[in-house]
Amino acid sequence: MRRWKSRGLAAIGGVLAFLVVGLAPPAAAEPETPVAYPSGSTVTRADRLGFDACTAPSRAALDAWNGTSPYRAVNIYFGGNNRACAQPNLTRDWVHDVTAAGWKLLPTYFGYQPFCMFGDKPHRYTVTSAAARGNSDADDAVARAAALGVRPGSALYADVEHYDRENSTCRTAVRRYVSAWTKSLHADGYLAGVYVHQDSGLRDLSNSYDSTSYARPDAVWMARWDGSTSLQGWPTAPDSHWSAYQRAKQYRGDHDETWGGVTINIDSDVLRAPVATVARTYRVTSTSPLNARSGPAASYPVVRTHEPGATLSVLCQATGQQVGTTKVWDRLAGGAWVSDYYVSTPSDTTFTSSIPRCLYPGQVTIDTLNARTGPGTSFPVTGSQLRRGALAHVICQKAGGTVGTTNVWNKLRDGRWVTDYYVANRSNTTWSAPVPRCP
């Protein structure tokens, strides 16, 4: 991190798979705990280079780097009792404005550290206090994230600095802390990430990846300063762990870079991982009040109306009923939906590239899960399988062939389908709010 861093199953499908393989249904338990997404939420992904700096840069500095540097993501140290640097720039307006300018944010919480951490950070947990500290840090992180406008569905990353893993009690303490952090964030509708050293935290969390004693975090951000931007071939975690938009790497440590005439001291990162969700502001373009509905179609009930010219906080976009020239609907921060045809986004025919698609991922609960071309086991298998613990990036749900206890199928961000039975969410028997129904 900054300054304080120690240097240095094929699823056969259908009821037959359940009966023959004898697999238990997914449950709200370790290691794949479900996320309780509220209606006003979505998960945002980033696939790009980024950087982290001890203090959030000014808007002017980021403007200078935007378009001149190779970076399009920046971390924010948004809380934690071991956070070292002042954050004069880090306000709700700053978060809104830099997101509107195209930056993805990697929210980092520097809270309690393991008692065997290398370094001099004062606030630490023991093996007996680790779970309580993980819970309290997660609660504080959610409150601080919300105050900055970092919405549910965001991934919040706990900074777990390098520690002495020769101490077996300390390894247990770290796992307890991360498990509590993960479960608490999931209960509040956030994804759980961790920043870890390749030789301590990553190794230990990978070793307990399938343990039913600990909740598995959704994403890992590894420190290994070897100059390589590869997110595969890591020496202390197999590629099958955190395999679907669940990895980031800090590949170069403390150094200065100058772009657009502005110099910042940074670490360099590569991301293919969940990041912060922040609402973008648009306005109503209709000449009469715009109905906001409980789903992305005119058949859903009206939950409120917005006057012409009113400001809308848009979280994400999804496909729904065609209105005018578009099938795109916008999900608002309050959870309701409006047709994008009457919103001042750049297009009234298709999706806006700067607005994320509505996503509600859950971890895969089976060793390997087949993805198919349609919502049933009669459809052909397509593409690579999803591995246990991978995030199934669900955009909508539809009734299909019965698997286990459900006929619900999930359409993924890439257009493929997986049975909901093997995805950890609120239910393995019926629909999972707030995931929309597929049109």
Side-chain angles (χ1 to χ4, degrees), residues 19-82:
L19 294 176
V20 173
V21 183
L23 295 164
E30 290 77 17
E32 301 99 1
T33 61
V35 182
Y37 296 111
S39 60
S41 67
T42 190
V43 169
T44 301
R45 308 188 306 187
D47 188 0
R48 60 184 66 191
L49 295 180
F51 71 91
D52 52 285
C54 192
T55 298
S58 67
R59 284 181 55 195
L62 288 179
D63 286 345
W65 278 41
N66 198 4
T68 60
S69 81
Y71 306 111
R72 294 296 180 272
V74 58
N75 90 309
I76 51 173
Y77 289 106
F78 70 101
N81 56 12
N82 276 313

Short mmCIF file of all heavy atoms in Angstrom, two decimals, residues 19-82:
data_model
loop_
_atom_site.label_atom_id
_atom_site.label_comp_id
_atom_site.label_asym_id
_atom_site.label_seq_id
_atom_site.Cartn_x
_atom_site.Cartn_y
_atom_site.Cartn_z
N LEU A 19 -29.31 -35.68 -8.02
CA LEU A 19 -29.50 -37.01 -7.44
C LEU A 19 -28.24 -37.85 -7.53
O LEU A 19 -27.84 -38.52 -6.56
CB LEU A 19 -30.65 -37.72 -8.15
CG LEU A 19 -32.04 -37.09 -7.96
CD1 LEU A 19 -33.06 -37.84 -8.81
CD2 LEU A 19 -32.45 -37.11 -6.49
N VAL A 20 -27.58 -37.82 -8.70
CA VAL A 20 -26.43 -38.69 -8.90
C VAL A 20 -25.21 -38.19 -8.14
O VAL A 20 -24.51 -38.93 -7.46
CB VAL A 20 -26.12 -38.83 -10.41
CG1 VAL A 20 -24.83 -39.60 -10.62
CG2 VAL A 20 -27.28 -39.51 -11.11
N VAL A 21 -24.92 -36.88 -8.26
CA VAL A 21 -23.73 -36.34 -7.63
C VAL A 21 -23.94 -36.15 -6.14
O VAL A 21 -23.00 -36.13 -5.36
CB VAL A 21 -23.33 -35.00 -8.31
CG1 VAL A 21 -22.06 -34.47 -7.73
CG2 VAL A 21 -23.17 -35.22 -9.81
N GLY A 22 -25.20 -36.00 -5.71
CA GLY A 22 -25.49 -35.86 -4.29
C GLY A 22 -25.11 -34.51 -3.73
O GLY A 22 -24.72 -34.40 -2.57
N LEU A 23 -25.19 -33.48 -4.54
CA LEU A 23 -24.76 -32.15 -4.11
C LEU A 23 -25.84 -31.48 -3.28
O LEU A 23 -27.01 -31.53 -3.62
CB LEU A 23 -24.44 -31.29 -5.33
CG LEU A 23 -23.24 -31.77 -6.14
CD1 LEU A 23 -23.24 -31.10 -7.49
CD2 LEU A 23 -21.95 -31.49 -5.40
N ALA A 24 -25.42 -30.87 -2.20
CA ALA A 24 -26.37 -30.14 -1.36
C ALA A 24 -26.74 -28.83 -2.03
O ALA A 24 -25.95 -28.25 -2.77
CB ALA A 24 -25.76 -29.88 0.01
N PRO A 25 -27.94 -28.34 -1.80
CA PRO A 25 -28.33 -27.05 -2.38
C PRO A 25 -27.54 -25.92 -1.75
O PRO A 25 -27.05 -26.05 -0.62
CB PRO A 25 -29.82 -26.94 -2.02
CG PRO A 25 -29.98 -27.80 -0.81
CD PRO A 25 -29.02 -28.93 -0.99
N PRO A 26 -27.37 -24.82 -2.46
CA PRO A 26 -26.65 -23.68 -1.88
C PRO A 26 -27.40 -23.15 -0.67
O PRO A 26 -28.62 -23.15 -0.62
CB PRO A 26 -26.62 -22.66 -3.02
CG PRO A 26 -27.74 -23.05 -3.93
CD PRO A 26 -27.86 -24.53 -3.81
N ALA A 27 -26.66 -22.70 0.31
CA ALA A 27 -27.26 -22.20 1.55
C ALA A 27 -26.60 -20.90 1.96
O ALA A 27 -25.54 -20.55 1.48
CB ALA A 27 -27.10 -23.23 2.66
N ALA A 28 -27.26 -20.20 2.86
CA ALA A 28 -26.73 -18.92 3.34
C ALA A 28 -25.67 -19.19 4.40
O ALA A 28 -25.81 -18.85 5.56
CB ALA A 28 -27.86 -18.08 3.91
N ALA A 29 -24.59 -19.86 3.98
CA ALA A 29 -23.56 -20.26 4.92
C ALA A 29 -22.21 -20.26 4.20
O ALA A 29 -22.14 -20.11 2.99
CB ALA A 29 -23.87 -21.63 5.48
N GLU A 30 -21.16 -20.47 4.98
CA GLU A 30 -19.83 -20.50 4.42
C GLU A 30 -19.66 -21.70 3.49
O GLU A 30 -20.26 -22.74 3.72
CB GLU A 30 -18.80 -20.57 5.56
CG GLU A 30 -18.70 -19.30 6.38
CD GLU A 30 -19.86 -19.16 7.36
OE1 GLU A 30 -20.54 -20.17 7.63
OE2 GLU A 30 -20.06 -18.05 7.85
N PRO A 31 -18.81 -21.55 2.46
CA PRO A 31 -18.04 -20.35 2.16
C PRO A 31 -18.73 -19.34 1.26
O PRO A 31 -18.28 -18.21 1.15
CB PRO A 31 -16.81 -20.92 1.44
CG PRO A 31 -17.32 -22.13 0.74
CD PRO A 31 -18.37 -22.71 1.64
N GLU A 32 -19.85 -19.72 0.59
CA GLU A 32 -20.48 -18.81 -0.37
C GLU A 32 -21.69 -18.13 0.26
O GLU A 32 -22.82 -18.58 0.09
CB GLU A 32 -20.92 -19.58 -1.63
CG GLU A 32 -19.79 -20.28 -2.35
CD GLU A 32 -19.69 -21.77 -2.01
OE1 GLU A 32 -20.53 -22.25 -1.20
OE2 GLU A 32 -18.78 -22.44 -2.52
N THR A 33 -21.49 -17.07 0.99
CA THR A 33 -22.61 -16.37 1.60
C THR A 33 -23.25 -15.43 0.58
O THR A 33 -22.57 -14.75 -0.17
CB THR A 33 -22.17 -15.56 2.82
OG1 THR A 33 -21.20 -14.58 2.42
CG2 THR A 33 -21.54 -16.45 3.87
N PRO A 34 -24.59 -15.38 0.52
CA PRO A 34 -25.25 -14.53 -0.47
C PRO A 34 -25.20 -13.05 -0.09
O PRO A 34 -25.09 -12.70 1.09
CB PRO A 34 -26.69 -15.05 -0.46
CG PRO A 34 -26.86 -15.60 0.91
CD PRO A 34 -25.53 -16.17 1.31
N VAL A 35 -25.28 -12.21 -1.09
CA VAL A 35 -25.34 -10.76 -0.88
C VAL A 35 -26.80 -10.32 -0.88
O VAL A 35 -27.55 -10.66 -1.79
CB VAL A 35 -24.56 -10.00 -1.97
CG1 VAL A 35 -24.59 -8.50 -1.70
CG2 VAL A 35 -23.13 -10.51 -2.06
N ALA A 36 -27.19 -9.57 0.14
CA ALA A 36 -28.57 -9.08 0.24
C ALA A 36 -28.68 -7.74 -0.49
O ALA A 36 -28.78 -6.67 0.13
CB ALA A 36 -28.98 -8.93 1.70
N TYR A 37 -28.65 -7.78 -1.82
CA TYR A 37 -28.70 -6.55 -2.61
C TYR A 37 -30.03 -5.83 -2.37
O TYR A 37 -31.10 -6.42 -2.55
CB TYR A 37 -28.58 -6.84 -4.10
CG TYR A 37 -27.28 -7.45 -4.53
CD1 TYR A 37 -27.22 -8.78 -4.96
CD2 TYR A 37 -26.11 -6.71 -4.53
CE1 TYR A 37 -26.03 -9.35 -5.38
CE2 TYR A 37 -24.91 -7.26 -4.95
CZ TYR A 37 -24.87 -8.58 -5.37
OH TYR A 37 -23.69 -9.14 -5.78
N PRO A 38 -30.01 -4.54 -2.01
CA PRO A 38 -31.26 -3.78 -1.97
C PRO A 38 -31.66 -3.36 -3.38
O PRO A 38 -30.90 -3.55 -4.34
CB PRO A 38 -30.90 -2.57 -1.11
CG PRO A 38 -29.44 -2.37 -1.33
CD PRO A 38 -28.86 -3.75 -1.55
N SER A 39 -32.85 -2.81 -3.52
CA SER A 39 -33.33 -2.47 -4.86
C SER A 39 -32.48 -1.38 -5.52
O SER A 39 -32.28 -1.41 -6.73
CB SER A 39 -34.80 -2.03 -4.81
OG SER A 39 -34.94 -0.91 -3.97
N GLY A 40 -31.98 -0.44 -4.75
CA GLY A 40 -31.15 0.63 -5.31
C GLY A 40 -29.69 0.25 -5.31
O GLY A 40 -28.86 0.88 -4.63
N SER A 41 -29.34 -0.78 -6.09
CA SER A 41 -27.96 -1.26 -6.09
C SER A 41 -27.62 -1.86 -7.43
O SER A 41 -28.49 -2.22 -8.22
CB SER A 41 -27.76 -2.31 -4.99
OG SER A 41 -28.51 -3.49 -5.28
N THR A 42 -26.34 -1.98 -7.68
CA THR A 42 -25.81 -2.75 -8.79
C THR A 42 -24.33 -2.93 -8.55
O THR A 42 -23.71 -2.14 -7.82
CB THR A 42 -26.06 -2.08 -10.15
OG1 THR A 42 -25.72 -2.99 -11.20
CG2 THR A 42 -25.19 -0.83 -10.32
N VAL A 43 -23.75 -3.94 -9.16
CA VAL A 43 -22.31 -4.16 -9.10
C VAL A 43 -21.67 -3.55 -10.33
O VAL A 43 -22.17 -3.69 -11.45
CB VAL A 43 -21.99 -5.67 -9.01
CG1 VAL A 43 -20.50 -5.94 -9.20
CG2 VAL A 43 -22.45 -6.20 -7.65
N THR A 44 -20.56 -2.85 -10.12
CA THR A 44 -19.80 -2.23 -11.20
C THR A 44 -18.46 -2.93 -11.34
O THR A 44 -17.79 -3.19 -10.34
CB THR A 44 -19.58 -0.74 -10.92
OG1 THR A 44 -20.85 -0.09 -10.78
CG2 THR A 44 -18.81 -0.07 -12.04
N ARG A 45 -18.08 -3.25 -12.58
CA ARG A 45 -16.81 -3.93 -12.82
C ARG A 45 -15.83 -2.99 -13.52
O ARG A 45 -16.23 -2.06 -14.22
CB ARG A 45 -17.02 -5.17 -13.71
CG ARG A 45 -18.10 -6.11 -13.23
CD ARG A 45 -18.15 -7.40 -14.01
NE ARG A 45 -18.26 -7.23 -15.46
CZ ARG A 45 -18.45 -8.23 -16.31
NH1 ARG A 45 -18.55 -9.47 -15.86
NH2 ARG A 45 -18.55 -8.01 -17.61
N ALA A 46 -14.54 -3.27 -13.33
CA ALA A 46 -13.50 -2.52 -14.02
C ALA A 46 -12.51 -3.50 -14.63
O ALA A 46 -12.14 -4.50 -14.00
CB ALA A 46 -12.78 -1.58 -13.06
N ASP A 47 -12.08 -3.19 -15.84
CA ASP A 47 -11.07 -3.99 -16.53
C ASP A 47 -10.09 -2.99 -17.15
O ASP A 47 -10.24 -2.57 -18.29
CB ASP A 47 -11.74 -4.86 -17.60
CG ASP A 47 -10.78 -5.85 -18.25
OD1 ASP A 47 -9.60 -5.87 -17.86
OD2 ASP A 47 -11.21 -6.60 -19.14
N ARG A 48 -9.10 -2.60 -16.36
CA ARG A 48 -8.24 -1.50 -16.77
C ARG A 48 -7.06 -1.36 -15.82
O ARG A 48 -7.02 -2.01 -14.77
CB ARG A 48 -9.04 -0.20 -16.80
CG ARG A 48 -9.64 0.17 -15.44
CD ARG A 48 -10.52 1.42 -15.50
NE ARG A 48 -11.71 1.21 -16.30
CZ ARG A 48 -12.53 2.18 -16.69
NH1 ARG A 48 -12.28 3.43 -16.32
NH2 ARG A 48 -13.60 1.93 -17.41
N LEU A 49 -6.14 -0.46 -16.16
CA LEU A 49 -5.07 -0.11 -15.25
C LEU A 49 -5.55 0.94 -14.26
O LEU A 49 -6.42 1.77 -14.58
CB LEU A 49 -3.86 0.43 -16.02
CG LEU A 49 -3.14 -0.54 -16.95
CD1 LEU A 49 -1.97 0.17 -17.63
CD2 LEU A 49 -2.65 -1.77 -16.21
N GLY A 50 -4.97 0.92 -13.07
CA GLY A 50 -5.32 1.90 -12.05
C GLY A 50 -4.10 2.23 -11.21
O GLY A 50 -3.01 1.69 -11.42
N PHE A 51 -4.30 3.11 -10.26
CA PHE A 51 -3.20 3.44 -9.34
C PHE A 51 -3.78 3.73 -7.97
O PHE A 51 -4.96 4.04 -7.82
CB PHE A 51 -2.37 4.62 -9.85
CG PHE A 51 -3.05 5.96 -9.79
CD1 PHE A 51 -2.93 6.79 -8.67
CD2 PHE A 51 -3.81 6.43 -10.87
CE1 PHE A 51 -3.55 8.03 -8.63
CE2 PHE A 51 -4.42 7.67 -10.83
CZ PHE A 51 -4.30 8.47 -9.70
N ASP A 52 -2.93 3.59 -6.96
CA ASP A 52 -3.33 4.01 -5.62
C ASP A 52 -2.32 5.00 -5.07
O ASP A 52 -1.11 4.88 -5.29
CB ASP A 52 -3.53 2.82 -4.67
CG ASP A 52 -2.36 1.86 -4.60
OD1 ASP A 52 -2.18 1.08 -5.55
OD2 ASP A 52 -1.66 1.87 -3.58
N ALA A 53 -2.84 6.01 -4.40
CA ALA A 53 -2.05 7.05 -3.76
C ALA A 53 -2.56 7.23 -2.34
O ALA A 53 -3.74 6.99 -2.06
CB ALA A 53 -2.17 8.37 -4.55
N CYS A 54 -1.65 7.65 -1.46
CA CYS A 54 -2.02 7.74 -0.05
C CYS A 54 -3.18 8.71 0.16
O CYS A 54 -4.12 8.43 0.90
CB CYS A 54 -0.81 8.17 0.77
SG CYS A 54 -1.02 7.98 2.55
N THR A 55 -3.11 9.85 -0.51
CA THR A 55 -4.18 10.85 -0.44
C THR A 55 -4.90 10.89 -1.78
O THR A 55 -4.26 10.91 -2.84
CB THR A 55 -3.60 12.24 -0.13
OG1 THR A 55 -2.98 12.20 1.16
CG2 THR A 55 -4.68 13.31 -0.14
N ALA A 56 -6.20 10.91 -1.76
CA ALA A 56 -6.96 11.01 -3.01
C ALA A 56 -6.54 12.27 -3.76
O ALA A 56 -6.56 13.36 -3.19
CB ALA A 56 -8.46 11.04 -2.72
N PRO A 57 -6.15 12.15 -5.03
CA PRO A 57 -5.71 13.32 -5.79
C PRO A 57 -6.83 14.34 -5.97
O PRO A 57 -8.02 14.00 -5.90
CB PRO A 57 -5.27 12.74 -7.13
CG PRO A 57 -5.06 11.28 -6.89
CD PRO A 57 -6.04 10.92 -5.82
N SER A 58 -6.45 15.56 -6.22
CA SER A 58 -7.45 16.60 -6.49
C SER A 58 -8.13 16.33 -7.83
O SER A 58 -7.61 15.59 -8.68
CB SER A 58 -6.78 17.97 -6.53
OG SER A 58 -5.91 18.07 -7.65
N ARG A 59 -9.29 16.93 -8.01
CA ARG A 59 -9.98 16.81 -9.30
C ARG A 59 -9.11 17.34 -10.42
O ARG A 59 -9.08 16.77 -11.52
CB ARG A 59 -11.30 17.55 -9.25
CG ARG A 59 -12.40 16.83 -8.48
CD ARG A 59 -13.68 17.64 -8.51
NE ARG A 59 -14.10 17.95 -9.87
CZ ARG A 59 -15.00 18.87 -10.19
NH1 ARG A 59 -15.59 19.57 -9.23
NH2 ARG A 59 -15.34 19.07 -11.44
N ALA A 60 -8.39 18.44 -10.17
CA ALA A 60 -7.53 19.02 -11.20
C ALA A 60 -6.42 18.04 -11.61
O ALA A 60 -6.09 17.91 -12.79
CB ALA A 60 -6.93 20.33 -10.71
N ALA A 61 -5.85 17.35 -10.62
CA ALA A 61 -4.80 16.38 -10.92
C ALA A 61 -5.35 15.23 -11.75
O ALA A 61 -4.73 14.78 -12.73
CB ALA A 61 -4.18 15.87 -9.63
N LEU A 62 -6.53 14.73 -11.38
CA LEU A 62 -7.12 13.64 -12.14
C LEU A 62 -7.53 14.10 -13.54
O LEU A 62 -7.44 13.32 -14.51
CB LEU A 62 -8.32 13.07 -11.40
CG LEU A 62 -7.99 12.25 -10.14
CD1 LEU A 62 -9.27 11.76 -9.48
CD2 LEU A 62 -7.09 11.07 -10.47
N ASP A 63 -7.98 15.32 -13.65
CA ASP A 63 -8.30 15.85 -14.98
C ASP A 63 -7.05 15.87 -15.86
O ASP A 63 -7.11 15.57 -17.06
CB ASP A 63 -8.87 17.27 -14.87
CG ASP A 63 -10.30 17.29 -14.36
OD1 ASP A 63 -10.94 16.22 -14.35
OD2 ASP A 63 -10.76 18.37 -13.95
N ALA A 64 -5.91 16.23 -15.26
CA ALA A 64 -4.65 16.26 -16.02
C ALA A 64 -4.23 14.86 -16.45
O ALA A 64 -3.68 14.68 -17.54
CB ALA A 64 -3.56 16.92 -15.18
N TRP A 65 -4.48 13.88 -15.61
CA TRP A 65 -4.09 12.50 -15.92
C TRP A 65 -5.09 11.81 -16.84
O TRP A 65 -4.75 10.84 -17.49
CB TRP A 65 -3.97 11.70 -14.61
CG TRP A 65 -2.65 11.89 -13.92
CD1 TRP A 65 -1.95 13.04 -13.77
CD2 TRP A 65 -1.87 10.86 -13.29
NE1 TRP A 65 -0.79 12.81 -13.09
CE2 TRP A 65 -0.71 11.49 -12.76
CE3 TRP A 65 -2.05 9.50 -13.10
CZ2 TRP A 65 0.27 10.76 -12.07
CZ3 TRP A 65 -1.07 8.78 -12.41
CH2 TRP A 65 0.08 9.41 -11.91
N ASN A 66 -6.32 12.29 -16.87
CA ASN A 66 -7.37 11.66 -17.67
C ASN A 66 -7.09 11.89 -19.15
O ASN A 66 -7.14 13.01 -19.65
CB ASN A 66 -8.73 12.23 -17.28
CG ASN A 66 -9.88 11.35 -17.72
OD1 ASN A 66 -9.67 10.27 -18.25
ND2 ASN A 66 -11.10 11.81 -17.50
N GLY A 67 -6.79 10.81 -19.87
CA GLY A 67 -6.50 10.94 -21.29
C GLY A 67 -5.03 11.04 -21.62
O GLY A 67 -4.64 10.84 -22.76
N THR A 68 -4.20 11.36 -20.60
CA THR A 68 -2.76 11.42 -20.84
C THR A 68 -2.05 10.23 -20.21
O THR A 68 -1.02 9.78 -20.73
CB THR A 68 -2.16 12.73 -20.29
OG1 THR A 68 -2.38 12.80 -18.87
CG2 THR A 68 -2.78 13.95 -20.95
N SER A 69 -2.55 9.73 -19.11
CA SER A 69 -1.95 8.57 -18.45
C SER A 69 -2.61 7.28 -18.93
O SER A 69 -3.71 7.32 -19.52
CB SER A 69 -2.12 8.69 -16.93
OG SER A 69 -3.42 8.28 -16.53
N PRO A 70 -2.00 6.13 -18.67
CA PRO A 70 -2.64 4.86 -19.03
C PRO A 70 -3.68 4.42 -18.01
O PRO A 70 -4.34 3.40 -18.20
CB PRO A 70 -1.47 3.87 -19.06
CG PRO A 70 -0.51 4.42 -18.05
CD PRO A 70 -0.62 5.92 -18.16
N TYR A 71 -3.84 5.19 -16.93
CA TYR A 71 -4.70 4.77 -15.82
C TYR A 71 -6.11 5.31 -15.98
O TYR A 71 -6.32 6.45 -16.40
CB TYR A 71 -4.10 5.25 -14.49
CG TYR A 71 -2.67 4.81 -14.28
CD1 TYR A 71 -1.62 5.73 -14.28
CD2 TYR A 71 -2.37 3.46 -14.08
CE1 TYR A 71 -0.31 5.32 -14.10
CE2 TYR A 71 -1.07 3.04 -13.88
CZ TYR A 71 -0.03 3.98 -13.90
OH TYR A 71 1.27 3.56 -13.72
N ARG A 72 -7.08 4.45 -15.58
CA ARG A 72 -8.48 4.87 -15.61
C ARG A 72 -9.21 4.46 -14.33
O ARG A 72 -10.43 4.48 -14.29
CB ARG A 72 -9.20 4.23 -16.81
CG ARG A 72 -8.69 4.73 -18.16
CD ARG A 72 -8.96 6.23 -18.37
NE ARG A 72 -8.46 6.68 -19.66
CZ ARG A 72 -7.23 7.11 -19.89
NH1 ARG A 72 -6.36 7.15 -18.88
NH2 ARG A 72 -6.86 7.51 -21.08
N ALA A 73 -8.45 4.09 -13.31
CA ALA A 73 -9.03 3.76 -12.01
C ALA A 73 -8.11 4.29 -10.93
O ALA A 73 -6.89 4.38 -11.12
CB ALA A 73 -9.21 2.25 -11.86
N VAL A 74 -8.69 4.64 -9.79
CA VAL A 74 -7.90 5.15 -8.67
C VAL A 74 -8.53 4.66 -7.37
O VAL A 74 -9.75 4.58 -7.25
CB VAL A 74 -7.85 6.70 -8.69
CG1 VAL A 74 -9.23 7.33 -8.66
CG2 VAL A 74 -6.99 7.25 -7.56
N ASN A 75 -7.67 4.27 -6.43
CA ASN A 75 -8.22 3.83 -5.15
C ASN A 75 -8.55 5.03 -4.28
O ASN A 75 -8.07 6.15 -4.49
CB ASN A 75 -7.25 2.90 -4.42
CG ASN A 75 -6.31 3.65 -3.50
OD1 ASN A 75 -5.66 4.61 -3.93
ND2 ASN A 75 -6.24 3.24 -2.25
N ILE A 76 -9.40 4.80 -3.28
CA ILE A 76 -9.67 5.80 -2.26
C ILE A 76 -9.59 5.13 -0.90
O ILE A 76 -10.22 4.12 -0.65
CB ILE A 76 -11.05 6.47 -2.44
CG1 ILE A 76 -12.17 5.43 -2.59
CG2 ILE A 76 -11.05 7.44 -3.62
CD1 ILE A 76 -13.58 6.03 -2.59
N TYR A 77 -8.75 5.69 -0.01
CA TYR A 77 -8.70 5.23 1.38
C TYR A 77 -9.82 5.95 2.12
O TYR A 77 -9.65 7.07 2.59
CB TYR A 77 -7.33 5.52 1.99
CG TYR A 77 -6.25 4.62 1.43
CD1 TYR A 77 -5.31 5.12 0.52
CD2 TYR A 77 -6.20 3.29 1.79
CE1 TYR A 77 -4.34 4.30 0.00
CE2 TYR A 77 -5.23 2.46 1.27
CZ TYR A 77 -4.29 2.97 0.38
OH TYR A 77 -3.33 2.14 -0.15
N PHE A 78 -10.96 5.29 2.22
CA PHE A 78 -12.15 5.99 2.68
C PHE A 78 -12.44 5.80 4.16
O PHE A 78 -13.41 6.36 4.68
CB PHE A 78 -13.37 5.56 1.85
CG PHE A 78 -13.84 4.16 2.11
CD1 PHE A 78 -14.94 3.91 2.91
CD2 PHE A 78 -13.17 3.07 1.55
CE1 PHE A 78 -15.38 2.62 3.15
CE2 PHE A 78 -13.61 1.78 1.77
CZ PHE A 78 -14.72 1.55 2.58
N GLY A 79 -11.60 5.05 4.88
CA GLY A 79 -11.85 4.88 6.31
C GLY A 79 -10.90 3.89 6.93
O GLY A 79 -10.02 3.31 6.28
N GLY A 80 -11.05 3.71 8.25
CA GLY A 80 -10.24 2.76 8.99
C GLY A 80 -9.36 3.45 10.01
O GLY A 80 -8.79 4.51 9.73
N ASN A 81 -9.26 2.86 11.20
CA ASN A 81 -8.50 3.52 12.26
C ASN A 81 -6.99 3.45 12.08
O ASN A 81 -6.24 4.09 12.82
CB ASN A 81 -8.88 2.94 13.64
CG ASN A 81 -8.70 1.43 13.72
OD1 ASN A 81 -8.10 0.82 12.85
ND2 ASN A 81 -9.23 0.83 14.78
N ASN A 82 -6.49 2.71 11.10
CA ASN A 82 -5.06 2.70 10.78
C ASN A 82 -4.74 3.51 9.53
O ASN A 82 -3.59 3.51 9.07
CB ASN A 82 -4.57 1.26 10.60
CG ASN A 82 -4.21 0.61 11.92
OD1 ASN A 82 -3.51 1.19 12.75
ND2 ASN A 82 -4.70 -0.60 12.14
#
